[in-house]
Structures are given as C-alpha cells and as structure tokens.
Amino acid sequence: MTGDPRLPGDDLDGPRQPDPDLAGQLAEALRGAGSPYPVLAEDDGWAGSGPAVVVSTRWSPALLSRLADRGTGAGGTVLPVRFDGGTALVGPLVGADSATCLRCLEAARLAAPGGRTPHGDSELRLGGRPAPALLPVLAAVVRSALAEPQSAAARLWVVPPDGSVSAHPVAPVGVRCEGCLSRQPPAPPGTPLTGSGQPPADPVRLRRPNPATDLAGLRRALLEPRLGHVVQLHRHEGYGLPVTRAVVAGPAVTVTGFGRATTAAEADRLALFEAVERLAGYAPHGPAARQWASFAELGPERAVDPAALGLPDLPSAHHIPYAPDVPTWWVPGWSPSRATSVAVPEHAAYWGDLGQRPSATFLSESSNGCGLGNSLEEAALHGLFEVIERDAFLMAWYARTPLVEVALPDELDLVGHLADTLDLLDYDLRLFDATTDLAVPAVVALAHHRMPAVGAPTAFFAAGAHLDPLSAIHSAVVELVVNLHEVRDTWQGDSARADRDRLLPMLDDAALVRRMDDHMMLHCLPEARPRYEFLLGAGRTRAWREVWPGLPRPVEDLAALFGALCADLHHRAGVEPIVVDQSIPELRQALGLHAAKVVVPGTLPMTFGHLNRRTRGLPRLLTVPAALGRLPGRPRHEDLALHPHPFP
C-alpha cells in the first residue's frame, strides 16, 4: 500500500535526500554475484551513461520518469529500485530501446487499488525503506532481473514486507501520457473499412471467430491486479443469471464492464470484453490527427455538423454555446457511404474527460455507439445497433408513442426462464416493437410490478436492437432482469440510492436528475407510472414473426453487410453513419480486437443527467412517429413532455 505522500523532512520544492547507506547495503548484498551493474543512490552523480541499479527512498513518478529519460538519452540502462512504505518495487529495466514509460507505469500502479492515491497530483511524493531482513530477498530479485534483461524490461517485481515476491507484466495498455502518445506513429486521417482477408462471421450473431478472445486469452492480456487496467473480476449471484463485473482502474479512468450469461465463465469473458470497449471509448490511444478548427472552416464535405448531433436543450455551465464559427478539436472518422474521411468533434467521438472542458465542448457524450469486435466492421456494426436501439427508445419515450406489444418468443428458453423468475416476484415481462424508420428491429422491454407498492421497484426498462429480432429480444431481457434484481436488493436494503425523499422531488424538478442511476431509480417509484402509461394500454399482442416477417436473413460477410446497411440508412432516413476507429493498438495486435464509435447525425443521442438532454435540431423526433402511424399528427417540439428517460 502507498506510503505517506509527504514524508517527514521531505521538502517538496527542494532537493531530495538520497540514502547512500541503503544503496551500499544493497550493493554489499549483491557483491560476489558477478553483476557488472553498480548500485547507486539516485544522486550519486550518475549521469545516465553506462548501466546502473539506482535506489530511491524518496521519489515521485515524474522524477522516476526523468531518471529513466536521463539514462536512455545517454545510452545507458537503469534498473530502478524504489520503496513505497515497506514495499520494494524493482524494475522494469529501462534502456535505449525500451517501450516502457515509468510515468504511466506508476500512474497505473497507484490507480489499481481503486483511486485512493492521488496519482495525478504533481506534488505527490512517495518513499520508505525495507526491513533489513528483506535485503537478501531484494538482492535476489535484482540479480534475477539483471540476469534476464529482456524479461526484466517487461516486468515489475513487488516485494512487500512479508518477503513474498510477485512479478507483474508492464505491457502498455490504455490511456497514456502525452509523452507516450507523441512517440507513436501518426494516425491515418480516417480508417477505411475494407473487410479484406476476414473469415466468415456467424450468420445470425454477426460475430467472427477469434480464438485469442476466449476467457483464458482475455484474462492473460487484461487481468492484472497490480498494473492491469482490469484489476478485479467480481462475480455476483442471485440476479437470475451469473453476472460478472470487470473493474477497469487506469491512470485516467475507473469504469466497469459487465458480463451476463448462462455460465460464470462466459459472464467473465463478456465482462472483460466490455471492459475493453469502455477503456477504448474513453479517450484516444494514439496521436490522432487532431485539428483545431470551426465547422465553418471545415465545411459539410469535410466535417460532421455539430448541430446535427443534437445540441443541448438547456443551458449548461459545462459547455459553450455552439455556433458554426466557434472552434473545437476534431478527430478523423470515416464515412462508408462516401468512402472518405470526415472530421468529428473529439468530444463527440470519445466520452471521457479529454482535458478541454468547458472551453471547447458543445455537448455531453456517453458511450452510446461504442462497439468492440474482431474487425473494425464488426465493431462498427454492433456500435450502430446500439445507436439504433437508443434512438428507438428515446423516440418512443420523448414522443410518448404507443407501441405494438410483442409476445414472448417460444424459441428463447432463457427468456422464458427469466420471465418465470419475474413472475414469482409479481412482475410482468412485456416486450414492445420500437422499430423506427431505420428499419433495424428494435425492442423495448418493461418489467412492471402487478401490485405497485413503496417497498419494491415498480417498473424497469431496457432495450435492444439487432438484425435478428431474437437477438434484440434476448439482449433487452437479459439486461432488464439482471439490473432489476440488483435494484431490488438496493430497494429492500434501505439504501440512500433508493431514498424516496431524494427521488420524489425529481418528479417535479427534472434538473435534480443528474446521474445515470437517477434516471432508472426515479422510474422505480409508483408515482412515476403516469410517465409510461402510454405503453401499458397496448392492444393485441403479436408474434415476433408477424412483427418482423422474413427476419433474420443470415449474413456472413460483415463488411458487405455494414456497407449495405449504411447505404440503406442514408437512402431511407437521410442519416449517414460515421465510424471513428477507437482501437487500442496493443490489444488490436495481441488479441485482434478493434473498437469503434459510430456517430450518426440526426439520431437521438442517449445522454444522462437531464440538463445534458439533446433533442434540439433533430427533426426525426417530430416526423417519424407520425409517419409510422404511432401519432395522429406531427407534434411541435414545445408540445413534447421530454421527461427524464428511464434508460438504465
């Protein structure tokens, strides 16, 4: 665990006090091993030339990084040994050809326990010293590292006070510092989708085979409790299905990937898979060809019009008002319809804090449209399904459109099982056809309590979209049931999260709905029923084959499918999908995993926090419900209720 960041007698602005005695003791312990490396205290005059083991008892990540730079710049090789409280940290060995950034390494290590250490604080200082009895163990670790320099360049050894030793891989993955990004090759100005050389996909699931992404492969590449960006896997029981959370704790982000499946092992795999998607979508992972410009300077042929992304309905202190001549940062995307590069506002292409708010952002973005796959086309296809799913859900919600109810399919045994588990808890599981002009089957799932009461969540929602209607139904129902079980536990546990005194005022003051959790918890109240009564009076329930006749149509060529789907959306609804390549280079190389964000101007974006709602400038919300016969006529924007949505 981390030592006191401000050690007694450590002047943050003055020189550090080296500990030559400890360096001498370690050198003595190493003597006779035949090592050519001298052991030095950090300020013993080492200028970086030649090899050295450098011992630091008071240090900072920035100083450690500069030490390595000093050595590599002079053609030297350094094995850093430093102390965090009573724990010794050895390595990695850094030389002229090293790809390891010690600044990023320490940021990842300090973030792994869950963000309790201020790893981003420029004034952070660490230090400590080992118990004398640990010196022989430490010397053995150093000897081992020096004996195998190639392995030592990719390992961090940790020696805690109990004398145990563990080695941890330091392959760079995830969000990195500006120095790392600047050393990478420049990114191409938009990644074309070619689909060349790809094996056939599962014709219904629309996923390609990839043996590297089985559970064992994902665990090896991602799960590392000391340094890995997935630092923990948590399994949960009692949610109707095995559920796993993969906790991503990196230098810049802490998020979670969820896996829900019929076996615990598959839940683990899916959680790791989603964790990569979350990490990829947070911020750029390479030196993207960013440019600072206004939309007026770039023009509609070269850039996405920010107004077509949906501008905030309400003023926000977190963003600046959009105007065509106001500049922002742009990153390259790719238009399959036009086969050309198209610039996208960076804060619409990534959902994380990019260090530029509020000076150059017009809107708040979520992970909506992010996908992961075994090719860029596969990732983009599933990202597009998510855009279509959320657009369909929000269109029904904001326009309060009645939807055709769909009978539970007999073909999905798991859906029947989950419906039975809900029935035992006095919930009805209902499915509704929310398909829009985008013509990809979209489903809204609702679990509604038959006897609404204060002591249980009354209603819960989820959605799904896929070219296979059964896949859309399966996805929506699994997410709904698992999340509902989790919320029931919260509701019955008298948690502040389910505090009625906190939630009830949100019905009258939508600005109080600030977080993702607020959206779903608010609509668990029985008092929220009037908000969704437009769904409850559906007429005759129809079989899924009657709602979506002729589907699914099996397809194996995902590149051809994605191209045809983009062309159809452009022709049918006048919307143009743009694909931003978010892939993490190391995982693309190691696992064949690609990540993409699909931005579809004109669709309704999923946002969280009512003040971040974006419906302005999106005419489909007003025209499509009437065109589909769900409303008697075209409403005006001011006639829409626009209550906070209940999407989980």
Side-chain angles (χ1 to χ4, degrees), residues 405-453:
E405 187 160 1
V406 182
L408 297 181
D410 294 332
E411 293 87 342
L412 295 177
D413 292 340
L414 179 60
V415 168
H417 161 69
L418 294 175
D420 288 343
T421 65
L422 290 182
D423 182 58
L424 293 173
L425 299 173
D426 291 321
Y427 286 91
D428 291 323
L429 175 60
R430 303 178 67 175
L431 304 175
F432 302 92
D433 171 26
T435 310
T436 68
D437 57 329
L438 304 182
V440 172
V443 176
V444 169
L446 166 65
H448 189 255
H449 205 288
R450 291 191 286 269
M451 297 173 288

Side-chain angles (χ1 to χ4, degrees), residues 479-500:
E479 181 169 355
L480 179 144
V481 173
V482 168
N483 286 350
L484 178 58
H485 276 285
E486 189 268 335
V487 169
R488 282 185 77 252
D489 289 348
T490 296
W491 212 266
Q492 295 172 350
D494 194 26
S495 166
R497 182 182 176 208
D499 183 0
R500 283 177 53 80

Side-chain angles (χ1 to χ4, degrees), residues 30-280:
L30 285 167
R31 189 166 291 139
S35 168
Y37 282 54
V39 180
L40 306 170
E42 186 170 333
D43 288 345
D44 272 357
W46 184 67
S49 57
V53 176
V54 178
V55 180
S56 303
T57 55
R58 288 185 172 92
W59 57 285
S60 73
L63 293 171
L64 184 69
S65 181
R66 286 200 292 272
L67 170 70
D69 291 343
R70 188 195 313 167
T72 56
T77 302
V78 61
L79 181 72
V81 178
R82 64 270 188 208
F83 300 91
D84 188 350
T87 297
L89 307 166
V90 179
L93 187 70
V94 179
D97 298 327
S98 176
T100 300
C101 171
L102 294 183
R103 185 190 297 268
C104 290
L105 170 68
E106 281 305 317
R109 184 184 72 85
L110 294 171
R116 294 188 295 274
T117 303
H119 51 81
D121 186 348
S122 62
E123 294 189 343
L124 175 68
R125 297 294 186 271
L126 302 104
R129 57 181 300 124
L134 280 186
L135 280 173
V137 177
L138 194 54
V141 172
V142 171
R143 282 198 301 269
S144 176
L146 298 179
E148 299 183 27
Q150 185 172 359
S151 174
R155 294 286 185 273
L156 171 72
W157 283 267
V158 178
V159 185
D162 64 4
S164 61
V165 178
S166 58
H168 305 270
V170 298
V173 175
V175 181
R176 287 157 291 187
C177 71
E178 289 296 326
C180 284
L181 296 180
S182 66
R183 289 191 290 269
Q184 294 187 44
T191 307
L193 283 78
T194 61
S196 58
Q198 296 291 343
D202 181 295
V204 176
R205 291 181 59 248
L206 306 180
R207 292 284 188 187
R208 289 191 173 103
N210 183 352
T213 59
D214 62 8
L215 177 57
L218 290 175
R219 288 180 67 99
R220 281 194 302 269
L222 300 172
L223 186 59
E224 167 42 61
R226 286 275 187 177
L227 298 173
H229 289 276
V230 177
V231 296
Q232 292 175 330
L233 284 179
H234 292 293
R235 287 180 174 176
H236 299 269
E237 298 180 353
Y239 289 176
L241 284 173
V243 176
T244 301
R245 290 190 303 125
V247 179
V248 178
V253 58
T254 299
V255 294
T256 300
F258 284 92
R260 312 165 183 90
T262 54
T263 67
E266 182 63 7
D268 288 356
R269 192 188 74 82
L270 293 176
L272 290 167
F273 199 80
E274 186 172 270
V276 176
E277 178 194 301
R278 293 285 184 264
L279 186 60

Side-chain angles (χ1 to χ4, degrees), residues 277 367 369-373 378-380 382-383 386 582 594-598:
E277 178 194 301
S367 62
C370 291
L372 191 71
E378 181 181 317
H382 290 273
E386 186 170 89
Q582 298 179 330
H594 299 250
K597 164 85 168 185
V598 181

Side-chain angles (χ1 to χ4, degrees), residues 15 53 62 68 134 194 311 315 365 412 451 540 553 566 570 577 600 610 635:
V53 176
L134 280 186
T194 61
L311 296 174
E365 189 54 70
L412 295 177
M451 297 173 288
R540 180 176 68 91
R553 291 187 285 270
C566 289
H570 197 231
V600 187
H610 186 67

